[in-house]
Amino acid sequence: MRHYGAKRDDNEVEIVNALRAIGASVAHLSSKGIPDLLVSFKNKLYLMEVKKHKGKLTPDQIKFHDNWKGDIYIVRTAQEAIEILNK
């Protein structure tokens, strides 16, 4: 379910464009506490939370991260996001 009017970090467009440029599929996820992006690359899925340089997780995001039984990556730049996919 898309939460319309959700505030997006300024750097999210750059990150999404960079991921798509290297061949990743990217879906925006917007619901309270859920990471911003679901990324598929080379048959693997990644959850990514986009934050500004000094951005911090909200209480709802912390709760989601604590209860998720998998990896969630916090990314602040396109380069960080691409490096995660290329590990």
Side-chain angles (χ1 to χ4, degrees):
M1 175 183 354
R2 179 147 171 85
H3 175 73
Y4 291 95
K7 184 178 176 293
R8 298 218 175 261
D9 290 304
D10 299 338
N11 53 342
E12 187 171 315
V13 171
E14 178 186 1
I15 291 169
V16 169
N17 289 341
L19 292 170
R20 288 180 174 155
I22 65 164
S25 298
V26 181
H28 293 276
L29 303 175
S30 291
S31 189
K32 197 171 185 177
I34 295 177
D36 297 310
L37 305 175
L38 175 62
V39 180
S40 174
F41 187 70
K42 296 184 180 178
N43 295 318
K44 289 187 178 182
L45 294 175
Y46 302 83
L47 284 175
M48 293 187 180
E49 179 65 48
V50 177
K51 289 292 179 191
K52 293 181 184 179
H53 177 65
K54 293 186 178 183
K56 302 210 184 282
L57 294 174
T58 67
D60 287 324
Q61 290 168 335
I62 292 168
K63 183 178 178 181
F64 186 89
H65 285 229
D66 288 346
N67 291 304
W68 186 253
K69 300 204 179 1
D71 294 325
I72 302 173
Y73 300 93
I74 298 171
V75 296
R76 298 176 190 286
T77 67
Q79 185 61 39
E80 282 181 354
I82 291 168
E83 286 173 6
I84 288 165
L85 299 186
N86 287 319
K87 285 184 180 178

